[in-house]
Amino acid sequence: MGGAGEGNQGALLSGGRRRIFSGIQPTGRKHLGNYIGAIRQYVTGQERADSIYCIVDLHAITVQHDPAELRARLYDTAALLLAAGLDPSRCILFRQSDLSEHSELCWLLTSVTAWGDLNRMHQWKQKRALLEDRRGGFVSAGLFNYPVLQAADVLAYRIDEVPVGDDQRQHIELIRETARRFNERFGDTFKIPELVVPEVGARIMDLQSPLSKMATTGGTELGTVYLTDQPDLIAKKFRSAVTDSEREVVKGPGKEGIGNLIEILAVVRETSVAEVESEFSGIGYGDFKAAVGGAVVAWLAPVQERYGELRADESALEAVLADGAERARAEAAPVLAEVRGKLGLGPPATRP
Ligand code: TYM
């Protein structure tokens, strides 16, 4: 993702440039998959487009949670995003629950969302199965409606691009469908956003179980590289990565473990898969795994250092989020007013 564009001087969105929105959950610890698939796109995005990033705490309560823990994880996530390079003078960073517009628009959009479409969502089916099997069976209606809230997040801002990892493809398609259906029934209102996934690293796999994506829930502990893991633990996780019984450092069928490591190194070194393959041709898996681990440790070191400093000051984080919320509301409120009007809710609009 490259691009031109001048810096947004930290004022309200400048207009005229492409618009980006993405959301990230403040649940669990964020991992290398989140960083490579999504967060790094947010950072490059703010350079070339008007960018709005949201920590989606309302999504996080769709599964059982501890309230104090949620707040702590929210600060973790805010500090991590800033440490990774989000700059509040160049983008809007805010907490979803600070804006009632998101939950209201979610409800309004449920009227143009088909129950059957929600019931087909892979993530719903997987998470529901996991909860029914492992956690005593409580599955909230919020989890079912999760993609509608995600649609509200995006559609409230007339967005061009939604940068996400590959696992969000189906949710973004549903957002597009929701926007189209609303526009058809009530007149042109929403912009149809485009999905943006990175060419390399859109789906980082669990290092121990390379047929499954790296994930906070359902992944293996040794196969999930958390962004706040100590360097020696990160190196150990890479050294123990599951590979295959061949010897060649190339991508290919049956070589998902090696392919995953090749992608990770290509991203970290900002090079191509082919370059990594040719550099490591003839080199043993052990040395290759050590090289990837070392490169990831060095790549994350400055983020980890800044994270420690930023996380220590919760009131500074609150100030960033409060400012972001105010700027986000200025964008979302007029869209919501238009939607209410189109649906025939509230008193008729008065014209000056
Ligand atoms: P979350 O917090 O689960 O994931 C945040 C981002 O990380 C990406 N991701 C991955 N990318 C590559 N490899 C992986 N193994 C991997 N695991 C996760 C996800 O694709 C995501 O981009 N539903 C969203 C949150 C959300 C949202 C939105 C996103 C709520 N509203 C509006 C975009 C627009 C989610 O999965 O968050």
Side-chain angles (χ1 to χ4, degrees):
M1 291 172 55
E6 281 151 35
N8 168 359
Q9 304 308 316
L12 284 182
L13 297 180
S14 54
R17 298 207 298 171
R18 303 273 292 170
R19 275 187 170 226
I20 293 180
F21 181 99
S22 200
I24 184 163
Q25 294 199 65
T27 38
R29 289 167 289 165
K30 290 295 152 191
H31 52 70
L32 195 61
N34 299 127
Y35 194 53
I36 290 182
I39 298 172
R40 106 194 131 99
Q41 297 198 82
Y42 307 167
V43 178
T44 52
Q46 70 182 351
E47 306 301 332
R48 66 183 175 85
D50 287 342
S51 303
I52 308 176
Y53 301 118
C54 179
I55 305 177
V56 295
D57 53 349
L58 295 172
H59 278 104
I61 63 167
T62 59
V63 290
Q64 253 180 50
H65 78 289
D66 174 71
E69 166 103 10
L70 175 60
R71 204 161 269 135
R73 295 290 86 83
L74 190 126
Y75 291 138
D76 292 353
T77 310
L80 189 72
L81 292 173
L82 295 170
L86 286 194
D87 174 354
S89 71
R90 289 177 150 150
C91 69
I92 293 179
L93 173 64
F94 73 105
R95 169 171 47 206
Q96 188 185 34
S97 64
D98 284 349
L99 266 72
S100 55
E101 282 80 359
H102 287 236
S103 22
E104 183 177 351
L105 185 56
C106 172
W107 179 252
L108 302 181
L109 292 176
T110 55
S111 65
V112 289
T113 308
W115 183 91
D117 285 347
L118 291 177
N119 205 31
R120 281 192 300 105
M121 293 291 117
H122 305 311
Q123 281 207 350
W124 153 247
K125 289 199 250 182
Q126 279 160 6
K127 288 200 176 162
R128 175 188 178 177
L130 204 71
L131 289 171
E132 283 175 346
D133 287 355
R134 295 200 196 157
R135 305 241 176 100
F138 181 78
V139 182
S140 74
L143 191 66
F144 184 67
N145 274 317
Y146 179 114
V148 192
L149 180 57
Q150 188 165 342
D153 294 341
V154 174
L155 297 180
Y157 297 95
R158 305 202 205 282
I159 287 305
D160 298 293
E161 299 174 18
V162 187
V164 283
D166 184 69
D167 61 345
Q168 293 299 302
R169 273 178 194 280
Q170 203 187 22
H171 283 169
I172 306 303
E173 191 40 58
L174 185 79
I175 297 176
R176 290 163 57 83
E177 179 57 27
T178 307
R180 280 193 287 259
R181 193 170 290 149
F182 189 98
N183 288 351
E184 261 165 40
R185 284 184 55 190
F186 302 104
D188 211 20
T189 309
F190 293 123
K191 192 157 202 167
I192 317 286
E194 288 163 25
L195 165 90
V196 179
V197 296
E199 268 170 44
V200 178
R203 192 175 190 84
I204 298 300
M205 309 309 273
D206 187 300
L207 301 186
Q208 286 296 311
S209 168
L211 293 176
S212 325
K213 68 169 185 180
M214 193 177 283
T216 323
T217 39
T220 68
E221 186 63 24
L222 192 58
T224 309
V225 178
Y226 296 106
L227 298 173
T228 49
D229 277 348
Q230 293 298 314
D232 51 349
L233 182 57
I234 297 180
K236 178 179 161 196
K237 287 178 174 177
F238 277 98
R239 271 199 316 275
S240 354
V242 167
T243 53
D244 54 69
S245 55
E246 294 177 12
R247 285 155 176 272
E248 271 176 276
V249 178
V250 288
K251 286 186 71 159
K255 295 176 70 71
E256 289 78 11
I258 282 292
N260 190 37
L261 297 176
I262 292 174
E263 289 216 10
I264 292 171
L265 191 57
V267 167
V268 169
R269 293 246 186 105
E270 296 184 24
T271 176
S272 66
V273 164
E275 284 279 336
V276 173
E277 288 174 341
S278 88
E279 182 182 336
F280 286 88
S281 143
I283 293 183
Y285 282 178
D287 289 343
F288 176 57
K289 291 197 281 187
V292 183
V296 170
V297 165
W299 194 53
L300 293 180
V303 178
Q304 294 192 333
E305 197 185 321
R306 285 194 294 271
Y307 173 79
E309 291 159 19
L310 290 156
R311 180 63 184 85
D313 192 348
E314 291 182 356
S315 48
L317 295 172
E318 275 298 345
V320 167
L321 295 171
D323 175 62
E326 199 179 315
R327 291 157 65 206
R329 189 173 299 111
E331 302 291 328
V335 176
L336 200 74
E338 183 182 337
V339 173
R340 288 171 58 96
K342 292 229 164 108
L343 290 172
L345 300 167
T350 44
R351 289 179 202 285

